[in-house]
Amino acid sequence: QDSEYSQLAAKTLSDSLGAARLCALVEYLPSIRDLITEAEFDATQANSIESNLSHWKLVSLLTCFINALLKLDRPMILILDDLQWAEALAIELVLGEILESIEKQNNAHLFLFIGLYRDDEVSIYHPLFAKINCLHESSNINTTDIQLSAFSKNDLVNMISNELK
């Protein structure tokens, strides 16, 4: 079944993005290389496209990629870590464009986005703070905040001693 799914995913991605655009994504998502046939893969072409990608073009390409995968009716998770270090443009591109596009899909319920950040590094003036508030206010997106506390000194000592055993 995994082989059938991989073949279906490869065809769906190739049909939706085209070989050249799919090759350009290999630089950012190396694991998709396995989905591209040798006949379709042209490293020279991929490198020239990849070097010319603007932020907007990359986000557009990623949005098409995610939307194509959602057509396969399988659950999908996108996890982005360290969002506290993201620039305003990156936050708008990823949390704005990509999530807005996905919420318009019929099968958006299959998509789970997990954004991780250090809340002690995100003030009310940080662009992420404003975007999180927009997501909370959206009627189409369900959000849940999970706050984790720091490890205690005792927790760290126990973890380190268990690893050294």
Side-chain angles (χ1 to χ4, degrees), residues 107-123:
N107 46 7
H109 64 280
L110 296 172
F111 183 80
L112 174 63
F113 171 75
I114 299 175
L116 305 165
Y117 65 96
R118 297 177 186 171
D119 62 350
D120 61 334
E121 294 186 31
V122 176
S123 71

Side-chain angles (χ1 to χ4, degrees), residues 1 4 24 26 36 52 59-60 63 66 106 119 124 127 143 146:
Q1 186 180 17
E4 287 177 27
V26 169
I36 305 171
N52 293 321
V59 168
S60 173
T63 302
I66 291 169
N106 291 337
D119 62 350
I124 60 171
T143 60
I146 301 172

